[in-house]
Amino acid sequence: MVSVRSVVDRVGPTLLHALQLPEDGPAVGDVVIAEPGPGTPTGVAAGDLVLGVATAEAADAAELVRLSASQGAAAVLLKPPLAAKPAVKRAAKAAGIALVQVHAATSWAQLVWLLRTVLDALGDESESPEEGGDPGSGDLFRLADAVASVVDAPVTIEDTNSRVLAYSARQDLTDPARVATIMGRRIPDDVLARFRSRGVFRELSRGRQTIFVPAQRDGTLPRLIVPVRMGGELLGSMWAVVAGPVSEERAAAFADAAPVVALHLLRRRAHTDTQRRASAELLRAVLEGRAGPRRAVGELDLSDEPHRVVVIEVTGGDGRDAEGLRLALLERISQGVGRRPVATELGGLLYAVVPDAPGAGGWAELRDAIAGQTASRRGGVPRVAAGAPGDVTALPTSRAQADEALGLLRAGIVDSRVVAFDQQWTALVLHRGATGAAAAKVAELGPLGLLRAHDETSNAGYVDTLYAWLRHPGDPRAAALELRIHPNTLRYRMKRLLALVPLDLDDPDVRLALITQLVTLRWS
């Protein structure tokens, strides 16, 4: 059964937003264009998606909703502001029919084509579901061939991150930059930099219909580039390797193919989003102990090797910047592993499962990349902590370890932005010991309270001095260096604090007790 909800999810939020979704609606059958009029809307049948193409008034829209519901239609689709009018929403709720808002800039003709394509795809999946399939990927390659014939040049279709989604035949007639792009499935960084310096991506973002880039000194052939947009959103671009300037007619024909490509990209993205949501929910259940880890092996496509759970927290910056940085890190996690990233969000933190192996997509590569990450323009800075590696049954344990390691970063105990649980055992021992000692209120025992009170009133620094002295027994120079004072100043302070609070520092038990108290103050 194809539901209105599944259609809306597959098309995606760029074009469709459900305002009213009954729990038990009819199965979707077809797409029709209808207008309210005397009697019932023409051509509407049970299960139809009714498009209010020519509806202009709220009263007419409400009537269309009521009449469509009387014919058993599955949903009425309207553009703003009609869809959100109170009278229209009340009519939909009373009639028990789904009400869907269509993005204002969407072409009705394109929407009809896309909805029917989605209905065909969903129908095929319900009859013969394929695990992990990417509907339309073959169509996108065929579309690249069709577009190449229009412009008479080899073509690539790329997303907004310059990753190649599909390419046409005849790529052997191109240049080394295009060959490298096809082989690596994205524009190489050096080639990307050259196009960026020529303002190509700036022009793409501005909405130019076509962009021509002349041949370059390094032998890179000319490019004709067309942005792919839908509803005002840039979804990607088409790149043709041409011999030279292209006629206006052929360039216009190339640009005319963009709306069709946009529909394919929306369909592809909606499918990817559905897969990602399902994977995220399963991983969330595994990490919280609500699902067996063995189930994750097949459904999350985890390889048979040790994995770590990595938790990512972005601090500072605004919400959009933090989200952008999380997505960038998630993209790096997925690079080179040959599968979609295994990640989910819990409590505002991003959790990912990565192989504990060298190479792209592994923990070592991710750790090094984040360690070199600088703060973004709006201040977003990542903190990343990894649990110890283990097999899939240890994922919940690795998640708990990652959380504990993140606590070290939050407390400033570890002077870094990236940490691994299994490489910080000394810090973890001290932190756990300090946490337990703090609960037992050990810092309140003995004469340490007197030193702390004196420091609060005189700022003498006796507690820090004692801690440094105990950490570097018999080495006043090292202790003074830690405090950034002269060794004679250290000796003077020790003399004064021992006069204030008599302590037998030659007694090993006294030293051990003081160290326990001082560690508790700093690490708990």
Side-chain angles (χ1 to χ4, degrees):
M1 171 180 170
V2 178
S3 66
V4 175
R5 183 184 299 277
S6 63
V7 172
V8 172
D9 287 344
R10 177 61 62 86
V11 174
T14 298
L15 294 187
L16 301 182
H17 172 58
L19 301 177
Q20 155 85 2
L21 274 179
E23 289 296 327
D24 300 317
V28 178
D30 198 3
V31 184
V32 298
I33 297 174
E35 302 178 34
T40 59
T42 305
V44 176
D48 281 347
L49 300 176
V50 182
L51 310 186
V53 173
T55 308
E57 301 293 334
D60 292 337
E63 182 66 9
L64 175 62
V65 167
R66 286 190 288 269
L67 293 175
S68 298
S70 70
Q71 294 293 99
V76 173
L77 285 72
L78 297 164
K79 288 189 176 183
L82 285 180
K85 292 287 186 182
V88 178
K89 294 172 72 174
R90 285 196 300 269
K93 187 173 183 180
I97 188 173
L99 178 63
V100 179
Q101 181 169 279
V102 179
H103 192 283
T106 303
S107 160
W108 286 110
Q110 293 173 357
L111 183 62
V112 171
W113 186 91
L114 177 60
L115 287 172
R116 284 179 173 158
T117 302
V118 167
L119 288 176
D120 289 342
L122 290 173
D124 292 342
E125 288 175 13
S126 63
E127 294 174 7
S128 180
E130 296 180 6
E131 292 296 327
D134 184 0
S137 60
D139 289 344
L140 201 57
F141 277 84
R142 288 191 289 272
L143 183 56
D145 282 330
V147 174
S149 67
V150 168
V151 74
D152 192 24
V155 167
T156 57
I157 298 173
E158 303 174 11
D159 65 11
T160 53
N161 293 315
S162 298
R163 291 176 302 188
V164 176
L165 304 177
Y167 51 89
S168 70
R170 300 169 56 197
Q171 298 296 334
D172 56 318
L173 304 178
T174 60
D175 52 31
R178 169 55 65 82
V179 173
T181 297
I182 297 296
M183 294 296 292
R185 299 307 298 267
R186 71 184 305 273
I187 300 178
D189 291 340
D190 58 333
V191 178
L192 200 63
R194 290 200 295 273
F195 284 123
R196 184 174 288 115
S197 68
R198 288 176 169 265
V200 170
F201 296 99
R202 183 170 58 251
E203 295 298 328
L204 278 173
S205 65
R206 288 176 177 174
R208 285 277 300 276
Q209 187 176 21
T210 58
I211 302 164
F212 178 73
V213 182
Q216 301 180 41
R217 293 180 179 178
D218 63 354
T220 301
L221 295 174
R223 300 291 197 270
L224 184 64
I225 308 163
V226 169
V228 177
R229 293 180 173 276
M230 179 65 74
E233 180 186 0
L234 182 65
L235 302 176
S237 54
M238 298 186 296
W239 295 60
V241 177
V242 294
V246 179
S247 68
E248 291 186 7
E249 294 78 8
R250 195 174 292 277
F254 187 32
D256 287 344
V260 179
V261 175
L263 296 173
H264 279 267
L265 294 188
L266 282 171
R267 179 185 173 193
R268 183 181 187 278
R269 185 172 71 179
H271 176 76
T272 301
D273 288 344
T274 300
Q275 282 189 316
R276 186 177 292 116
R277 284 194 295 269
S279 296
E281 179 53 39
L282 173 57
L283 180 58
R284 193 177 298 121
V286 170
L287 296 183
E288 291 180 337
R290 296 184 286 108
R294 287 297 177 190
R295 179 184 166 197
V297 174
E299 296 193 30
L300 297 180
D301 194 24
L302 295 177
S303 55
D304 186 18
E305 59 184 323
H307 284 75
R308 293 178 184 263
V309 174
V310 177
V311 58
I312 300 171
E313 177 184 51
V314 178
T315 61
D318 58 29
R320 180 179 298 179
D321 188 56
E323 178 65 18
L325 187 51
R326 278 197 295 267
L327 291 175
L329 294 173
L330 186 59
E331 172 67 20
R332 182 171 288 278
I333 291 170
S334 65
Q335 283 179 358
V337 296
R339 58 164 169 77
R340 61 185 182 275
V342 182
T344 190
E345 191 167 349
L346 281 169
L349 300 173
L350 181 67
Y351 289 86
V353 176
V354 300
D356 186 49
W363 164 241
E365 192 264 356
L366 177 65
R367 177 196 61 214
D368 295 342
I370 296 172
Q373 177 83 40
T374 58
S376 65
R377 285 181 302 143
R378 290 185 290 271
V381 177
R383 290 182 184 142
V384 181
D391 63 23
V392 69
T393 62
L395 289 180
T397 300
S398 186
R399 182 261 172 120
Q401 293 170 341
D403 286 339
E404 186 176 3
L406 180 63
L408 298 180
L409 297 179
R410 286 172 167 174
I413 293 172
V414 177
D415 185 20
S416 175
R417 288 184 302 168
V418 185
V419 66
F421 178 88
D422 49 312
Q423 295 171 357
Q424 294 292 334
W425 73 269
T426 54
L428 289 164
V429 167
L430 291 172
H431 188 246
R432 289 186 184 184
T435 301
K441 299 181 179 180
V442 299
E444 299 178 10
L445 303 174
L448 185 61
L450 210 59
L451 286 180
R452 295 173 64 193
H454 184 78
D455 279 353
E456 289 176 3
T457 57
S458 65
N459 197 29
Y462 286 168
V463 172
D464 290 340
T465 301
L466 181 59
Y467 183 61
W469 180 278
L470 293 169
R471 275 172 46 83
H472 301 280
D475 192 351
R477 290 186 178 277
L481 183 63
E482 182 176 298
L483 295 170
R484 297 183 179 179
I485 60 176
H486 194 276
N488 288 340
T489 304
L490 175 76
R491 294 186 182 95
Y492 176 77
R493 285 187 186 178
M494 287 300 298
K495 182 178 179 181
R496 296 284 297 175
L497 77 84
L498 290 174
L500 178 66
V501 179
L503 293 168
D504 185 3
L505 296 182
D506 292 330
D507 187 332
D509 288 339
V510 171
R511 294 197 302 271
L512 183 59
L514 285 170
I515 278 288
T516 301
Q517 290 180 309
L518 292 168
V519 167
T520 301
L521 292 177
R522 280 167 168 74
W523 292 65
S524 60

